Amino acid sequence: QEKLDMSTYPVESIRNFSIIAHVDHGKSTLADRLLEITGTISKTDRNKQVLDKLQVERERGITVKAQSASLFYNHEGVNYLLNLIDTPGHVDFSYEVSRSLSACQGVILVVDANEGIQAQTVANFYLAFEAQLSIIPVINKIDLKNADPERVEKQIEKLFDIPTDECIRISAKQGTNVEKVLQKVIEKIPPPQCNTADPLKALVFDSTFDHYRGVIANIALFGGEITKGQKIVSAHTKKRYEVNEVGILTPNEQPTHKLYAGQVGYLIAGMKEVTEAQIGDTLFLYKQPVEPLPGFKSAKPMVFAGMYPIDQTEYNNLKSALERLTLNDSSVTVHRDSSLALGAGWRLGFLGLLHMEVFNQRLEQEYNMSVILTAPTVPYKAVLSSAKLIKEYGKDQITIINPAQFPDKLSVSEYLEPTVLGTIVTPHEYIGKIITLCQDRRAVQKDMLYIDENRVMLKYLFPLNEIVVDFYDALKSLSSGYASFDYEDAGYQSADLVKMDILLNGNPVEELATIIHNDKAHAAGKLLCERLKETIPRQLFEIAIQAAIGKKIIARETLKPFRKNVVAKCYGGDITRRMKLLRRQAEGKRLMRKIGNVDVPRDAFIRVLRRETDK
C-alpha cells in the first residue's frame, strides 16, 4: 500500500468540519454523498451510511459514535484536504458531538425540509455557537413530496438569526446540490490556526481498541508534525511511547509518512492498556513539553444502573469486556458494587436510557456477554445535619447512588434530587396533552414560544427521575411521534424523598429498597408488591409482601399458601369434626410461618429489578 505524502496540503488548504443535526435528518447520508463526490469511496448503490460501522448502528439505523474521514477536493485549481466528522443526533450522545466540535473550525447544520427545526437541532446549534464555529445551514430532503423549504428557512431565521439566503437546499439521497455544500465549506470555514514550525501538540479526541495493534488514537494536530519512530509523551499519564504508524482515515485507515499541523488522523503507538489513551489528552514530543490543551468537560452521568454477570464465573471476562468498551465510550462511569442477591458487579453511570441500551447491546454483540441490568436510578444528595455523620463522611453533603446508603430522616436537614431543563418542540395541536403529561411528572413550566404558526417550543424544569424511565416513549405516543425532546443538566433542588423498603413476612429485602418521591410512593409500592406476588413461588405458609416507609406500611399483597385438603376424609359427620381438622391445620401453618424463611429465587429478583416495561 503506497503511503501518502501529506506535505502537499499546507494549513491554508485544510478545512475541519463536522455535520450536526437532529436524529434522522440525514447526517450520515450527506456524509456518504460527500465521500462519493470527492472520490473517497466509489459510487455504488451499496453506500448507505458508510460511516456507521458498528453492528448496533446498522441494526437501529442510528449513529452512536462520531466517525471521521479525510476527503481530497479540487476547488478552482487548488487541492484541499477536508476533514469531515459525522456525529450522532440523539440527546444521549451529545457528549460525542461536543467532543467532535473541539477538533473542528466549522459545522454543517442539517435540517429536514419536512420536519423543520427539532429540539436537538436547537441544542446542537448552541453547542456549535458557544464554540464560536462558523455555521453553514443546509436544508435536506427537498425531494420529499411534503417538503416545505421556505417554512424551514423562516424558522432558521427566526430561531438562529441566520439570513434565509445563506441556506443551501439539497437532497442528500439523490445528490442534488451537494457539490455546493463543499464549495461553501471551503469559502466559509476558516483554516485551522496553527503552524508546522511549532513543537508537536496533538489532541486525542477519540480512540478505539484493536486486538492486534493495541489502542488506535484519533488525533487532531494543533501544531508541529508527527512521523513514525518519534518518541511522544502523554500529558495525562506522563508515559512515553514510540510512534509505530500515523495516517489518515479515508474512512478506512490509510498510512502516511507524516501528519502536519491542522490535519486530523490516527496514531498507533503501542499503548497496551485501554486506559492510556485518555480522551481529551494532549500528546507532545519527548523533552519538548507544551501547555496541554483544555480537554473536555467530563460527561455527567444522568442514569445509574447495576450490571451483574448472569453467572459469577463470568465475572473476570465481563470485567475485561467492560474495560475495553469504556475505552471506546469514555462517557460511561464504572464503580464496583455488590448485591446480596446478584453477587459482585458494577454500578454504571450512563448519559441516558438509549445510551444504556446501546451499551448493553454492544456488550452482547462485540464481546458475547449477557448481563443482568437492574432498573435505572439517578444520583440523589442529602444535606446532613447530625454532627456525628458529618464527621464520619468528612463533608456535610453526600451523594447517594445506592439506596442502602440512604441516611435517616432525623440526621438530614434536606434531601436533594437532580433536575434537568427539558426543551420540547411540538406541533401545537398536541400542547394540551403534553402539558398534562409534564404536570403528572412534577415538572414546572419555564417558557413557551411559538416558532411559527403551528410549532411550539416548551421549556420545563423536570426532576430527572421522572423522565429517566419512560418519559420519552410517553411523549412520542401522545404526539404520534411528532414531538421532540432534549434536556440539559440543571443542578439539584430540594425534594421530599423517602426510602421505600419491601418486607417479606416482616423481614426487609435489601436489594428491593428504592428511593422515591413521597407523592409517588403509594403507586410504586403497590406495583412492586403485585409484581413480587406473581414472581415469588408459593410456599407451604402464607407470605405477606409489604411496602413500607419507615414503620408505616403503604401497600400489601398476600401470597396464599399451598394447603392439603384435610377434610377430604370427612363425608357426613358432625361440623365440629371438620372445624377441629381445619383449626389444627391453621395452627401448623402459623408455626411454620414463624420458623420458615422466604428464599427469593434469583430469577424472581431479575424479573422484578429489570426495567419496568410491562406497566
Side-chain angles (χ1 to χ4, degrees), residues 11-20 34 75 80-85 101 103-109 128 132-138 166 168 180-193 262:
V11 175
E12 301 75 65
S13 57
I14 297 176
R15 301 285 182 272
N16 299 330
F17 66 99
S18 62
I19 304 180
I20 58 176
L34 294 177
H75 177 61
Y80 285 93
L81 168 70
L82 310 175
N83 295 314
L84 152 94
I85 301 181
L101 294 183
C104 294
Q105 280 77 43
V107 295
I108 296 178
L109 180 71
Q132 295 175 335
L133 305 178
S134 46
I135 295 166
I136 300 175
V138 166
E166 282 192 19
I168 311 173
K180 210 161 159 193
V181 176
L182 280 175
Q183 291 156 13
K184 222 23 187 279
V185 164
I186 289 169
E187 289 157 22
K188 288 225 14 192
I189 294 177
Q193 300 289 319

Side-chain angles (χ1 to χ4, degrees), residues 28 41 96 140 233 241 331 344 384 405 589:
S28 299
I41 54 178
E96 287 277 332
N140 190 13
V233 183
Y241 304 101
S331 43
L384 303 174
Q405 304 152 350
K589 294 275 183 214

Side-chain angles (χ1 to χ4, degrees), residues 20-30 49 52 57 60-63 87-90 110-116 118 120-121 124 140-141 144 472 476 481:
I20 58 176
H22 186 75
V23 185
D24 263 351
H25 279 196
K27 291 182 293 293
S28 299
T29 315
L30 176 58
Q49 283 91 16
D52 292 352
E57 299 180 317
R60 290 174 178 249
I62 59 177
T63 310
T87 63
H90 288 78
V110 180
V111 187
D112 185 328
N114 194 8
E115 307 232 339
Q118 301 274 31
Q120 200 56 40
T121 320
N124 283 342
N140 190 13
K141 306 195 186 183
L144 295 181
Y472 193 66
K476 282 289 186 203

Side-chain angles (χ1 to χ4, degrees), residues 322-486:
L322 266 181
E323 278 174 0
R324 294 209 190 122
L325 232 163
T326 42
L327 160 85
N328 235 326
D329 187 348
S330 63
S331 43
V332 179
T333 57
V334 183
H335 295 291
R336 291 278 296 282
D337 193 17
S338 66
S339 129
L340 297 175
L342 304 175
W346 295 267
R347 191 113 200 146
L348 301 182
F350 300 100
L351 302 180
L353 271 197
L354 178 74
H355 186 198
M356 176 168 118
E357 283 172 21
V358 165
F359 189 83
N360 192 19
Q361 205 174 330
R362 284 182 70 183
L363 265 183
E364 280 174 15
Q365 288 172 352
E366 296 171 28
Y367 300 98
N368 273 336
M369 286 285 146
S370 44
V371 292
I372 301 161
L373 267 182
T374 63
T377 57
V378 301
Y380 297 102
K381 286 186 176 174
V383 181
L384 303 174
S385 59
S386 88
K388 184 180 169 197
L389 275 180
I390 294 178
K391 194 171 177 190
E392 187 184 320
Y393 286 109
K395 50 184 183 290
D396 60 352
Q397 223 184 41
I398 57 168
T399 303
I400 312 153
I401 294 179
N402 204 339
Q405 304 152 350
F406 194 73
D408 194 61
K409 199 154 192 168
L410 299 170
S411 52
V412 169
S413 57
E414 64 172 350
Y415 294 115
L416 305 172
E417 68 176 351
T419 56
V420 292
L421 187 63
T423 310
I424 300 171
V425 176
T426 167
H428 67 94
E429 58 263 34
Y430 302 111
I431 280 191
K433 291 181 185 173
I434 288 177
I435 288 179
T436 321
L437 170 73
C438 294
Q439 280 164 348
D440 288 349
R441 300 301 176 103
R442 321 200 320 266
V444 183
Q445 188 171 349
K446 289 285 180 208
D447 188 16
M448 179 166 160
L449 171 80
Y450 273 81
I451 299 176
D452 57 21
E453 52 277 7
N454 50 15
R455 304 266 306 286
V456 186
M457 184 159 90
L458 301 163
K459 291 213 167 185
Y460 271 93
L461 198 63
F462 287 97
L464 180 60
N465 64 343
E466 291 291 336
I467 62 168
V468 80
V469 178
D470 59 352
F471 177 76
Y472 193 66
D473 303 343
L475 180 73
K476 282 289 186 203
S477 60
L478 273 186
S479 65
S480 333
Y482 282 114
S484 56
F485 177 64
D486 174 64

Side-chain angles (χ1 to χ4, degrees), residues 194-200 223-225 261:
C194 49
N195 192 345
T196 335
D198 294 346
L200 171 71
E225 52 186 59

